[in-house]
Amino acid sequence: MKIPNNHPRKKSLEERKRIEEGFAKGIVVAAGMIAHGRGEALDYLIGERTHPEAKREIMAAAAQLLLAKNPVISVNGNTTALCAREIVSLAKAIPAKIEVNLFYRTPKRIALIEKEFRKFGVRILAGGADKKIPLLKSKRGMVHGAGIYSADVVLVMLEDGDRTEFLGRMGKIVVAVDLNPLSRTALKANITIVDNVTRALPLLTKSVKSLRGMKSSELERTAKFNNKKSLREMEMIMREGV
Ligand code: PTJ
């Protein structure tokens, strides 16, 4: 069904449609639709717009990704369905590797996600994960030696919270995109962007391009960030409305 241009909830309905189609293809899992609904509700509370605080988070994240020696963007079912094109643009701008990392990991889903990215002409780290994140029991622990395992900065989006802490223990800097400022992922990440991933990613790519060429010392200053304070700010916006 084509959503009329003047429908007040056009963008939100289109995102739902992408998730539904992703589910039909086998890219998104059933739990991914629940996760999306939670995201929709939280996005509603911030007026479905990127707040100035989130813009500061995005700037710090962009600087951190530019400072990285081996940055990796971790993708799952939802992020592939919602914004594969935007992930590719960001990966090219940084430049960064893209690696599939799934909670509900199956060879079939890995292959489907890899195929989705191939449509944009990029090869990603998909099957053949050869390393384990120490102590992490879920299948999210299966990673590539050349990717997340050896990365210094990892961008995670729409996580279920079991991995960010372990990546931190491995000494990695984690940048997260999560609409829930109270989630474990949001709290454990070094920089959390509290915004809808579909708005945050294009802004992140724009910021990466605008910061490119900056001296390392200036990037380091831009990347310095008080995540706890920023998360509190976003929580207050959600609770009190701004
Ligand atoms: O594809 P898989 O197998 O790796 O499974 C992925 C899911 C999404 C099922 C899994 O990671 C999961 O269950 O996630 P959770 O625990 O529901 O957490 C997802 C987080 O992302 C929640 O805090 C949501 O509020 C948030 N979220 C949902 N949609 C968006 C979002 N954050 C940013 N943008 C969104 N569009």
Side-chain angles (χ1 to χ4, degrees):
M1 190 190 85
K2 177 141 173 42
I3 300 150
N5 279 338
N6 62 352
H7 195 292
R9 306 224 32 82
K10 184 175 165 64
K11 189 170 173 288
S12 173
L13 291 177
E14 279 172 351
E15 284 175 15
R16 258 190 204 183
K17 198 164 161 230
R18 288 208 284 277
I19 291 287
E20 280 176 40
E21 285 167 358
F23 179 68
K25 283 188 205 166
I27 289 172
V28 174
V29 284
M33 294 199 281
I34 298 169
H36 184 76
R38 185 145 62 141
E40 273 187 354
L42 292 167
D43 203 14
Y44 213 81
L45 292 178
I46 56 169
E48 295 171 315
R49 66 190 175 89
T50 307
H51 277 260
E53 187 58 35
K55 288 186 183 155
R56 281 188 279 278
E57 295 162 355
I58 287 169
M59 219 45 174
Q64 194 62 75
L65 286 162
L66 281 170
L67 282 165
K69 294 206 164 44
N70 185 18
V72 175
I73 303 174
S74 177
V75 297
N76 65 7
N78 284 51
T79 49
T80 302
L82 282 175
C83 44
R85 185 189 295 277
E86 289 75 13
I87 291 168
V88 170
S89 301
L90 176 63
K92 285 184 178 163
I94 297 170
K97 290 172 189 154
I98 301 172
E99 177 169 342
V100 188
N101 184 274
L102 302 176
F103 187 74
Y104 301 99
R105 188 182 183 100
T106 63
K108 189 169 172 231
R109 287 188 71 215
I110 299 266
L112 284 167
I113 290 171
E114 188 179 20
K115 192 172 147 208
E116 210 59 26
F117 278 92
R118 226 180 292 129
K119 287 183 190 163
F120 298 101
V122 288
R123 297 188 77 79
I124 63 171
L125 296 163
D130 54 345
K131 292 276 183 191
K132 279 280 299 166
I133 297 175
L135 301 175
L136 180 55
K137 295 275 186 289
S138 76
K139 290 192 175 171
R140 279 204 191 281
M142 298 166 71
V143 289
H144 282 259
I148 290 169
Y149 191 80
S150 58
D152 51 352
V153 180
V154 185
L155 173 66
V156 303
M157 304 167 271
L158 273 109
E159 285 266 339
D160 56 354
D162 67 336
R163 188 170 55 136
T164 301
E165 189 177 350
F166 287 94
L167 290 174
R169 283 195 211 169
M170 288 174 83
K172 300 181 192 308
I173 293 173
V174 180
V175 175
V177 183
D178 192 337
L179 272 162
N180 183 0
L182 300 171
S183 77
R184 271 201 307 154
T185 297
L187 294 168
K188 293 287 177 192
N190 299 80
I191 301 171
T192 306
I193 300 168
V194 183
D195 197 19
N196 192 329
V197 71
T198 58
R199 289 191 303 272
L201 284 190
L203 292 173
L204 190 52
T205 305
K206 209 169 143 196
S207 301
V208 164
K209 287 180 180 167
S210 76
L211 295 183
R212 176 163 300 296
M214 219 183 217
K215 278 195 271 173
S216 295
S217 56
E218 285 175 57
L219 284 175
E220 272 158 22
R221 213 171 317 123
T222 311
K224 264 214 178 81
F225 190 71
N226 186 335
N227 205 39
K228 294 264 173 315
K229 188 166 165 279
S230 186
L231 289 172
R232 265 200 305 276
E233 177 93 11
M234 288 308 297
E235 186 190 340
M236 291 317 286
I237 289 167
M238 286 181 182
R239 287 187 191 277
E240 294 178 5
V242 174

